[in-house]
Amino acid sequence: MTTAPLAPVEAPSHPAEAVPLSWATTLDRGLVHRDAVGEVFVTDLRGDEDGHYTAAAQLPRSHAYYGDHLLRPGTHDPVLLLEAARQATLAGAHLFHGIPTDHKFILTFLRIHLIRPQLLTIGDSPLDLVLKVTVTDRRVREGRVTGLDHRVDLTVDGTVIGWAGVGLRFRDPAGYREMRLRNRDGAELPSTAVLPPQTGGTGGPGLPAAPDLVGRADPRNVVLLDPRLADGGATAVLRIPAGNPSMFDHPQDHLPGMVLAEAARQLALFTALDTRGLSAAKTFPVDLAVTFARFGELEPRTVLTATLGDEKPLGAEAGEHAYYTQGGPLDLDEAEPGAAVTQLPVVVDARQNGESIARFVLSLARIRG
């Protein structure tokens, strides 16, 4: 179930929609695999040629999970944009590629890369987002689509703000159960429906991180136990918030990829704060990429380890001459030291029983206001 993360490519061209996109109402919640209508952010899809399509999503100004951050001024969560992209590809797989609604969807990789984060500042109205979805790889076996890899270009008011990548594989219910039982040596599948409200797996519950140390205000959104510094980085145990209605909208038999992504983000912020003094109020993830190596099981402890790289100017390696302030972008020659944004690379490895289940690479941008 592994695959390489999607590499950056030129933004694709899409035919103009015959009917304008609508933000009037959300899609059927079943198309995006959500039980609660309030957790659906995609509002429309319009098919293009060759299985590509364009989607609309509306990002709320306030949300108990995605809106619970310390960043000031308030900014839409990059993980929320990634969730919108994920929902768009789930719905597109059903509507445009014939994946039956009872099939199981397996994430192989995720990525979000933002180039204009200043356009994500929360304003006086919800944010209308356009997602142009290009299928970069389509896997077919015996006439059935078994996998789709996607690039999703993200646009606000006609301006591209970044892109996302989503890799999906599909299994019918019987095939999924057979695969999961084989992975578990025949042990019956567990369910988050019967997990205690707070758990870190076998070995004791541990203590949740203080919310402000991981960029949160509400302790219910904390997913780390016992974070501590180690060898210039940090380690923590995953807290499985089975009762959180956003992270676990419906029962799961494994750790969702989006929950692991949240844990990686929180550990990256904790490490950056404790080792480099980067305040969560001025630190924003502009890039997050993950490749999933195997299913994360619910029973064993999941140990996360963060390793920091060297802080450097944003875009230094890519030759981009863009710096950002809270007022918008500055050219390289105009940027003053007190106003520039730098990036701090962080690698987070998630392991169970000593084996890696996912590896995250993040870039944290520091806004020097």
Side-chain angles (χ1 to χ4, degrees):
M1 57 183 288
T2 61
T3 187
L6 209 58
V9 296
E10 292 299 320
S13 60
H14 291 253
E17 298 84 8
V19 179
L21 288 167
S22 172
W23 287 267
T25 185
T26 61
L27 292 184
D28 184 323
R29 58 192 173 92
L31 289 173
V32 299
H33 303 187
R34 283 286 176 254
D35 281 356
V37 173
E39 297 297 327
V40 180
F41 306 110
V42 178
T43 61
D44 199 6
L45 275 87
R46 303 289 178 183
D48 294 341
E49 298 176 355
D50 301 325
H52 307 317
Y53 50 95
T54 303
Q58 188 173 86
L59 307 186
R61 287 169 289 173
S62 176
H63 191 277
Y65 167 58
Y66 294 109
D68 175 41
H69 294 289
L70 304 182
L71 194 70
R72 295 295 178 268
T75 304
H76 287 287
D77 186 352
V79 175
L80 172 57
L81 274 79
L82 185 56
E83 172 63 15
R86 191 187 72 91
Q87 290 188 12
T89 61
L90 298 184
H94 288 307
L95 294 176
F96 304 127
H97 295 275
I99 308 303
T101 55
D102 67 344
H103 276 38
K104 299 290 187 178
F105 284 41
I106 302 166
L107 281 173
T108 57
F109 69 87
L110 290 169
R111 179 145 189 207
I112 180 77
H113 177 73
L114 299 174
I115 59 174
R116 294 181 177 87
Q118 78 278 9
L119 296 183
L120 294 174
T121 300
I122 296 174
D124 296 331
S125 59
L127 184 72
D128 289 343
L129 183 69
V130 175
L131 306 93
K132 293 187 176 180
V133 183
T134 301
V135 175
T136 60
D137 185 35
R138 186 173 185 266
R139 302 189 179 195
V140 180
R141 180 183 302 166
E142 298 177 352
R144 296 182 298 108
V145 177
T146 61
L148 295 168
D149 292 346
H150 311 79
R151 176 188 168 106
V152 184
D153 288 278
L154 309 171
T155 303
V156 174
D157 292 331
T159 300
V160 175
I161 62 168
W163 59 272
V166 182
L168 299 173
R169 301 294 179 265
F170 314 114
R171 292 288 183 106
D172 62 63
Y176 175 82
R177 177 174 171 79
E178 179 184 356
M179 176 187 64
R180 292 287 288 122
L181 290 175
R182 184 170 62 251
N183 292 343
R184 294 171 52 83
D185 295 326
E188 188 55 47
L189 301 186
S191 173
T192 54
V194 295
L195 282 180
Q198 175 184 307
T199 177
T202 304
L207 296 175
D212 61 297
L213 296 182
V214 295
R216 291 290 185 175
D218 190 336
R220 292 174 295 182
N221 292 323
V222 172
V223 295
L224 298 184
L225 300 172
D226 296 329
R228 59 192 66 187
L229 299 181
D231 300 325
T235 64
V237 173
L238 177 70
R239 170 179 173 257
I240 305 174
N244 188 297
S246 294
M247 285 185 267
F248 288 91
D249 168 78
H250 54 277
Q252 298 277 0
D253 63 44
H254 62 282
L255 296 176
M258 296 299 290
V259 173
L260 290 170
E262 176 62 32
R265 185 252 296 275
Q266 290 189 15
L267 187 58
L269 289 174
F270 172 85
T271 310
L273 174 63
D274 261 20
T275 65
R276 304 292 173 87
L278 301 189
S279 167
K282 299 297 180 184
T283 305
F284 186 78
V286 292
D287 195 278
L288 184 155
V290 56
T291 300
F292 297 101
R294 61 184 69 235
F295 280 94
E297 300 294 350
L298 298 177
E299 302 95 337
R301 287 165 67 89
T302 303
V303 179
L304 300 108
T305 303
T307 305
L308 298 183
D310 295 326
E311 193 173 5
K312 54 198 169 188
L314 184 66
E317 289 187 351
E320 299 173 4
H321 301 304
Y323 285 74
Y324 294 90
T325 67
Q326 291 177 3
L330 294 174
D331 291 335
L332 179 62
D333 294 337
E334 299 174 354
E336 298 178 359
V341 168
T342 60
Q343 65 177 351
L344 177 67
V346 186
V347 176
V348 177
D349 189 32
R351 290 179 171 265
Q352 292 185 338
N353 300 319
E355 295 186 350
S356 179
I357 61 173
R359 183 178 184 271
F360 295 82
V361 180
L362 303 94
S363 285
L364 301 179
R366 174 162 59 177
I367 301 175
R368 295 172 178 169

